[in-house]
Amino acid sequence: MDVRAMNEMLPFVLRRDNVARYEEGVVWIGDRRKYPFEETFVRCEDVESVARAIEKMVTQGGGPWQAAALGMVMAARNVESKPEQEALETLAQAKERLINTRPTNTAMARRLEDSLEVAKKARVEGRSMEEALLDWVETLRDQTYESYAVRSRLGANLIEDGDGILTMCFAETAFILAMSMAKQDGKEIQVFVPETRPYLQGARLTAPSLHELDIPVKLITDNMPAFVMSQGKIQKYFTAADLITMDGHVVNKIGTFQNALAAHHHGIPYFVFMWGPDFESPDRASVEIEYRDPAEIRACRGTRTTLEAIEAFYPAFDITPPHLVAGVITKHGILSPYDLRPHFERAREEEE
Amino acid sequence: MDVRAMNEMLPFVLRRDNVARYEEGVVWIGDRRKYPFEETFVRCEDVESVARAIEKMVTQGGGPWQAAALGMVMAARNVESKPEQEALETLAQAKERLINTRPTNTAMARRLEDSLEVAKKARVEGRSMEEALLDWVETLRDQTYESYAVRSRLGANLIEDGDGILTMCFAETAFILAMSMAKQDGKEIQVFVPETRPYLQGARLTAPSLHELDIPVKLITDNMPAFVMSQGKIQKYFTAADLITMDGHVVNKIGTFQNALAAHHHGIPYFVFMWGPDFESPDRASVEIEYRDPAEIRACRGTRTTLEAIEAFYPAFDITPPHLVAGVITKHGILSPYDLRPHFERAREEEE
């Protein structure tokens, strides 16, 4: 699926160039903090600006690694004329700074490590490091979007005409593209989107994205999914995952788990889009849940909802056990959550 | 339990005089719309002002009937010197206006009908209608608060030292007083309060009420209860009910049902405070769920959370089936949800 065809099936916020793009020494990052009220970009002219933008949550999901990798392209341009050692040291510092923006994002860290090798190789070959890094980023991005297309196709095929669909948070390109494909396939769907407090990704990102694509969407609050199910309005539940452990536990935005419980009670299958295996996360016990600033629970988009003195509790993610998961959508197919380790070990062996 | 002792165990917003009070021709209604940010009262000098205050959600739960009944006291004062027929006609008009503020609140309507009889009898006996109605309201309020005390005692007895407790919305006096009693009994408890979007009764009323009483409280968002349960932090789940059908279905604020599902999954008992039987509501099919203005889903305390063009869906209540209910707390004891009709039919026969 080529970039142009995919762009036409994606909303503004998810189009490749709007996530992050590089223009002769400048990295532009789509600003999700202001979306959907404003469609703006953060302009970064040095690595520090890119790092700060990532830290300030200008972009999320697949955005940070793309912005960081383009930050390396920019860094390379600025040291192109420097002696090899100085150039590579500066690039190594840039890499460290960018990795530190999201210490738990190991996929981003791995890619930024790779970027140094790409730069080194280009210098040895007498090629422009900037050009070599940009080619490398765009190839990675091609692979990423190709993986989205494959998984979205599998997701879209699960949908039947007339289905009501529940999601949670902002399940990004894989989910939105799947809905877009189902629509293109001529299926009528109705998506219910919980607002996803406290950060409101559902209200701010998912609902406007679907609306922009003319896909029928109804925004609800996070206390409504079970009731909507009880009314027979939901046939499938889809989310993304921040992490899926090798024994099939889905770590995703808080609320995913209780929706999965309600779905199970109502006989509604829950499907989760998986990026790839994380062999470092064998099981539930290996997962550390991130707790965020409780002050965010006491406000909503800056408006206070209770007294400052009230204590609050903000676990950012929850864990859905595999018995509540009907299928894990990977680029190799829709897997049982109980077959992830065997499957990905076989796949790894075949690759080697 | 006398009023003073009870007041000391209740937060500002639930103290009898702060719900509504009568002072020589004026009805003061505690303004819950501004609580906890302001502790203010709406001053009403005529029946129309009382009616509008009720319509504008100045008070809720047990508040509307108390404010309306005090509105009848005020109406009586103003016609005391009028001939009997004119006086009673004016009172009948006042009663109609007040009933129409909450067409589905049948308990309030029944009481307002009774108020006319009280006024008529006073006039026949040559007594002040204002005084007679005020005595009647205060007797009803004594009975109401006595019923709270009995049910709260039963609720408090269910709590064990160290319990974590989940609630939903604002379960008013029965629940808050039960927590207060448990504390007085020397039990350490920790209450988790979901904010209850979109109207935020949990954040605005329940959490500040418990905080005021020095009862440990943690505010959470509505997508968190199942996760908090999975961490072993919850041992009991308590709510009020807008209505319990005679076959044991609990109709309460949206979110109650999915919390009950999550509680059941985690082996946590769910107890519900019941006001009294409603023989007009035999079963689930007899319940009509109220849908409110979807615009409220697109905002939070006046701040927009998404685009105006996004469709939204706002069911205000949900229905929890009896198999998820461990006990119904009534003034006669803690009943099985499957024994409500037989129990209350026996009780009715005994009274007759």
Side-chain angles (χ1 to χ4, degrees), chain B residues 39-296:
Chain B
E39 293 180 352
T40 56
F41 293 83
V42 171
R43 187 177 195 273
C44 303
E45 294 195 56
D46 53 40
V47 168
E48 185 57 27
S49 311
V50 173
R52 285 204 190 137
I54 295 171
E55 283 168 351
K56 285 179 182 163
M57 306 287 276
V58 168
T59 186
Q60 284 135 48
W65 81 259
Q66 297 183 51
L70 293 174
M72 291 303 292
V73 176
M74 180 169 65
R77 178 192 180 97
N78 295 338
V79 296
E80 207 79 77
S81 60
K82 297 277 164 66
E84 178 166 337
Q85 202 186 335
E86 191 187 337
L88 292 176
E89 265 171 26
T90 306
L91 288 182
Q93 282 163 14
K95 177 212 73 172
E96 281 305 310
R97 176 70 185 94
L98 291 165
I99 285 177
N100 286 335
T101 60
R102 294 279 167 99
T104 57
N105 189 336
T106 52
M108 179 170 93
R110 226 163 17 235
R111 281 170 174 160
L112 291 173
E113 295 291 354
D114 290 349
S115 74
L116 273 195
E117 298 308 311
V118 173
K120 224 178 266 180
K121 186 156 171 283
R123 176 56 76 103
V124 168
E125 292 170 356
R127 201 184 153 203
S128 149
M129 294 190 295
E130 179 192 17
E131 261 183 48
L133 278 166
L134 192 57
D135 284 352
W136 166 79
V137 177
E138 295 305 344
T139 304
L140 276 180
R141 302 225 284 181
D142 287 345
Q143 290 166 0
T144 300
Y145 279 79
E146 195 48 43
S147 166
Y148 284 139
V150 170
R151 290 178 296 138
S152 297
R153 183 72 261 160
L154 292 169
N157 290 349
L158 289 168
I159 293 166
E160 289 170 74
D161 189 33
D163 271 358
I165 289 155
L166 179 74
T167 187
M168 189 68 193
C169 195
F170 184 39
E172 301 241 354
T173 306
F175 173 72
I176 300 290
L177 186 59
M179 298 301 108
S180 212
M181 286 174 167
K183 181 180 181 240
Q184 202 179 51
D185 294 345
K187 293 168 182 168
E188 281 194 27
I189 58 174
Q190 167 73 64
V191 188
F192 286 85
V193 178
E195 62 180 357
T196 317
R197 281 275 291 144
Y199 207 64
L200 298 166
Q201 292 93 337
R204 295 191 304 106
L205 299 165
T206 307
S209 290
L210 294 166
H211 176 73
E212 187 185 329
L213 298 169
D214 273 330
I215 294 169
V217 56
K218 280 200 198 292
L219 184 66
I220 56 177
T221 51
D222 300 323
N223 43 8
M224 295 179 185
F227 175 76
V228 178
M229 292 176 193
S230 76
Q231 302 292 294
K233 293 180 192 290
I234 307 284
Q235 281 66 47
K236 310 269 154 57
Y237 174 35
F238 286 95
T239 74
D242 283 79
L243 166 70
I244 304 181
T245 62
M246 296 311 293
D247 70 346
H249 287 78
V250 176
V251 184
N252 196 41
K253 188 62 34 120
I254 189 78
T256 303
F257 169 44
Q258 64 186 41
N259 294 345
L261 276 176
H264 195 250
H265 176 85
H266 290 95
I268 297 162
Y270 168 38
F271 299 103
V272 54
F273 289 100
M274 183 185 203
W275 181 250
D278 181 349
F279 291 103
E280 313 284 292
S281 299
D283 54 23
R284 185 185 184 109
S286 68
V287 176
E288 203 179 321
I289 293 294
E290 181 188 340
Y291 292 88
R292 294 196 180 145
D293 184 1
E296 294 191 37

Side-chain angles (χ1 to χ4, degrees), chain A residues 166-196:
Chain A
L166 180 74
T167 186
M168 189 66 192
C169 195
F170 184 39
E172 302 240 354
T173 306
F175 173 72
I176 300 290
L177 186 59
M179 298 302 109
S180 212
M181 287 173 167
K183 181 180 181 239
Q184 202 179 50
D185 294 345
K187 293 167 182 169
E188 280 196 25
I189 58 174
Q190 168 72 65
V191 187
F192 286 85
V193 178
E195 61 180 357
T196 318

Side-chain angles (χ1 to χ4, degrees), chain A residues 72 75-76 78-94 116 119-120 123 129:
Chain A
M72 292 302 294
N78 296 336
V79 297
E80 207 80 77
S81 60
K82 298 275 161 70
E84 177 167 338
Q85 202 186 335
E86 191 187 336
L88 292 177
E89 266 171 26
T90 305
L91 288 182
Q93 283 163 13
L116 274 195
K120 224 178 267 180
R123 176 56 75 104
M129 294 191 293

